[in-house]
């Protein structure tokens, strides 16, 4: 009701630049759809630091270039035809393997020195051995990861897991071992432990704001990452990045206080440059790959959930800040009323209120956010292509019909399995 009044009030106000009636207003930004006045009032704070700025520029270029490639390839179907890794991603894998190869060589060298060396050599062998141990890839464990967050497993949520299996099957992969639930406006997949168990993380901040069919599309996107082996690739590359970080730390120049410091700095200069070079190269190679895999995962989302639902998910991501704000409002409100029963009431209704706020975002605000995306030209982080381009790729071109459909009855059954974790996450959120 108040929003309708606010909207009218905004419409009464004319644009100071061109005189057109303003769009939005009230809880949302008042802006001019005619000339674009005030479209991006929180204008892009440019990232500080030369490297981050260069990354953003590169991310923008790759995002736009990939968009052009994918649309030129005959719309989204053209994109699916080429699910193989691009050359740069292959090169990144090769480079990452080379980094791990050095760790392996150190390990082998250390062992050889200890076993076959004479005199002092076996003792010196401890040095490369320790370095290799420090550099080794570390796989997290599922138990450790799920220790502080609610987790759903197959016996807890048979309906959900049946749905996950179905969506996974539709994109050509298999389901997950566990579903970790938190309050984020996000969702993600990864593998963990030496046995490489698959874990899906569902952020209720996003999940609860989605319509049932959009949830299918979201799951399609996430399983698309498994189907395209993005997580395996990511694991290989992220471990290489960690090794390189350790090298960079160890080789960092010392403040020069004596001739010895200078000599040490001089001797580490070459390997230091090599580490920097490899890190930059790997970064550039993976930037393109990660953006590409997002577009391809969107393609999987459209095939499973339907194009309309997949575009709906990118819309929700576009207004992620509004969703984050909605949850923050709940936390702040909870601070002002600490007493028992009312606190429980707040927990009960939290996700319903959040979903209502998400549903209340007017079309004009989505339009504004899309224009902000165009103006800024990049997404919040450089691993994802600009959201407005993802949306455009999904909403333009031929429409995909959903392969997996979630009717109201099944949606309710899946929903019921979230009841307990929903309450746990809400309680945790209100604790602030
Ligand atoms: Zn105007
Ligand atoms: Zn993704």
């Amino acid at each position: 009701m108040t929003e309708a009044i606010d909207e009218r009030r905004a419409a009464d106000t004319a644009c100071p630049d061109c005189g057109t009636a303003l769009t939005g207003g009230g809880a949302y930004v008042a802006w001019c759809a005619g000339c674009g006045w005030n479209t991006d009032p929180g204008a892009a704070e440019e990232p500080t630091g030369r490297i981050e700025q260069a990354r953003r520029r590169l991310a923008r270029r790759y995002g736009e270039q990939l968009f052009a490639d994918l649309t030129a390839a005959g719309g989204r179907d053209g994109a699916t035809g080429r699910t193989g890794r691009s050359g740069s991603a292959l090169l990144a894998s090769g480079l990452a393997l080379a980094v791990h190869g050095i760790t392996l060589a150190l390990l082998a060298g250390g062992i050889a020195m200890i076993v076959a060396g004479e005199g002092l050599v076996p003792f010196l062998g401890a040095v490369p051995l320790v370095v290799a141990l420090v550099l080794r890839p570390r796989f997290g464990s599922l138990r450790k990861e799920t220790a502080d967050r609610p987790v759903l497993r197959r016996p807890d949520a048979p309906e959900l897991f049946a749905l996950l299996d179905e969506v996974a099957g539709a994109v050509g992969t298999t389901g997950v071992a566990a579903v970790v639930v938190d309050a984020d406006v996000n969702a993600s997949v990864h593998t963990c432990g030496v046995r490489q168990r698959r874990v899906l993380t569902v952020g209720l901040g996003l999940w609860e704001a989605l319509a049932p069919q959009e949830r299918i599309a979201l799951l399609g996107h996430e399983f698309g990452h498994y189907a395209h082996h993005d997580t395996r690739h990511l694991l290989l590359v992220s471990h290489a990045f960690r090794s390189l970080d350790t090298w960079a730390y160890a080789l960092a120049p010392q403040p020069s206080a004596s001739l010895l410091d200078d000599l040490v700095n001089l001797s580490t200069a070459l390997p230091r440059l090599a580490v920097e070079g490899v890190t930059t190269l790997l970064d550039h190679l993976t930037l393109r790959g990660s953006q590409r895999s997002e577009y391809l995962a969107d393609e999987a989302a459209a095939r499973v959930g339907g194009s309309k639902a997949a575009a709906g998910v990118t819309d929700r991501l576009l207004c992620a800040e509004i969703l984050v704000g909605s949850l923050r409002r709940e936390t702040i409100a909870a601070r002002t009323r600490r007493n028992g029963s009312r606190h429980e009431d707040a927990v009960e209704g939290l996700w319903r209120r959040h979903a209502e706020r998400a549903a209340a975002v007017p079309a004009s605000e989505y339009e504004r956010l899309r224009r902000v995306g165009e103006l800024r030209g990049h997404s919040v982080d450089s691993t994802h292509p600009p959201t407005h381009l993802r949306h455009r790729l999904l909403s333009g071109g031929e429409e995909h019909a959903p392969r997996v459909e979630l009717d109201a009855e099944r949606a309710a059954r899946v929903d019921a399995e979230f009841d307990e974790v929903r309450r746990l996450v809400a309680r945790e959120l209100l604790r602030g």
Side-chain angles (χ1 to χ4, degrees):
M1 183 69 182
T2 36
E3 261 148 33
I5 295 169
D6 286 337
E7 191 119 12
R8 221 174 304 139
R9 199 180 300 145
D12 289 343
T13 325
C15 168
D17 279 4
C18 73
T20 313
L22 292 181
T23 310
Y28 304 97
V29 172
W31 60 289
C32 175
C35 72
W37 177 82
N38 206 36
T39 303
D40 190 8
E45 341 74 65
E46 277 301 313
T48 49
R50 214 160 35 93
I51 293 180
E52 190 50 30
Q53 277 172 7
R55 275 193 108 220
R56 288 281 177 96
R57 267 199 306 276
L58 206 66
R60 174 179 193 162
R61 216 178 60 216
Y62 284 159
E64 287 168 355
Q65 200 182 322
L66 275 169
F67 177 79
D69 284 356
L70 293 177
T71 39
R76 288 156 295 154
D77 286 332
T80 25
R82 300 178 294 141
T83 44
R85 296 222 146 272
S86 65
S88 56
L90 272 175
L91 217 56
S93 297
L95 206 56
L97 278 175
V99 172
H100 295 312
I102 292 173
T103 309
L104 207 64
L106 284 169
L107 182 75
I111 291 174
M113 282 163 84
I114 290 169
V115 173
E118 281 173 20
L120 274 178
V121 174
F123 296 100
L124 291 175
V127 176
L129 203 64
V130 168
V131 174
L133 282 179
V134 172
L135 292 172
R136 79 182 193 281
R138 277 157 237 241
F139 305 98
S141 88
L142 185 56
R143 198 159 47 90
K144 232 184 267 168
E145 250 179 66
T146 54
D148 57 344
R149 283 181 301 175
V151 56
L152 290 169
R153 287 175 199 268
R154 202 167 279 271
D156 313 321
E159 283 286 343
L160 171 68
F161 276 77
L163 182 67
L164 295 180
D165 290 345
E166 197 180 332
V167 172
V171 298
T173 186
T174 52
V176 291
V179 178
V180 175
V181 186
D182 61 25
D184 287 355
V185 182
N186 201 358
S188 63
V189 283
H190 71 286
T191 51
C192 76
V194 186
R195 283 164 59 205
Q196 293 297 289
R197 304 231 280 161
R198 293 180 164 191
V199 181
L200 167 72
T201 305
V202 170
L204 291 180
L206 178 61
W207 183 261
E208 295 292 319
L210 297 176
Q213 197 56 35
E214 291 172 339
R215 291 178 186 166
I216 300 289
L218 177 72
L219 295 174
H221 176 104
E222 296 309 328
F223 281 106
H225 282 309
Y226 282 132
H228 303 139
H229 306 298
D230 296 337
T231 46
R232 199 168 65 191
H233 174 72
L234 207 68
L235 199 71
L236 181 75
V237 170
S238 66
H239 282 150
F241 270 123
R242 205 175 304 161
S243 290
L244 287 166
D245 275 351
T246 313
W247 279 118
Y249 179 75
L251 295 169
Q254 303 301 313
S256 124
S258 66
L259 188 65
L260 184 67
D261 289 334
D262 291 340
L263 279 175
V264 170
N265 286 345
L266 197 67
S267 68
T268 53
L270 219 58
R272 189 165 54 238
L273 269 176
V275 167
E276 268 174 33
V278 171
T279 309
T280 311
L281 186 61
L282 196 58
D283 196 31
H284 284 197
L285 289 172
T286 47
L287 211 58
R288 193 184 156 85
S290 61
Q291 293 212 351
R292 185 188 169 78
S293 43
E294 289 307 324
Y295 279 131
L296 290 176
D298 278 347
E299 165 66 31
R303 268 184 292 135
V304 179
S307 298
K308 215 169 136 253
V313 175
T314 58
D315 263 343
R316 294 290 183 240
L317 290 172
L318 209 55
C319 69
E321 259 175 59
I322 295 175
L323 299 180
V324 170
S326 154
L327 295 178
R328 202 175 301 133
R329 247 166 86 176
E330 293 284 344
T331 311
I332 292 166
R335 254 184 233 144
T336 59
R337 43 163 166 69
R338 271 277 177 216
N339 48 2
S341 65
R342 284 176 65 197
H343 189 74
E344 265 316 292
D345 287 347
V347 167
E348 274 318 309
L350 187 143
W351 297 113
R352 185 182 38 75
R353 289 192 298 277
H354 180 65
E356 282 168 4
R357 275 181 219 125
V361 177
S364 59
E365 178 65 5
Y366 285 116
E367 178 54 30
R368 186 186 74 81
L369 289 167
R370 250 172 250 133
R371 291 195 192 191
V372 169
E374 278 163 34
L375 286 173
R376 297 189 187 181
H378 53 69
S379 56
V380 229
D381 74 81
S382 43
T383 57
H384 285 67
T387 313
H388 71 282
L389 290 185
R390 292 173 64 190
H391 184 273
R392 202 181 296 163
L393 200 63
L394 285 165
S395 53
E398 177 218 4
E399 181 141 345
H400 280 283
R403 263 193 224 171
V404 178
E405 270 180 287
L406 196 57
D407 58 62
E409 222 171 273
R410 193 173 177 198
R413 286 202 302 272
V414 172
D415 224 32
E417 292 178 341
F418 272 94
D419 273 350
E420 183 64 30
V421 286
R422 205 183 275 125
R423 211 167 295 130
L424 284 172
V425 173
R427 219 171 271 149
E428 188 57 38
L429 191 78
L430 293 188
R431 212 169 282 146

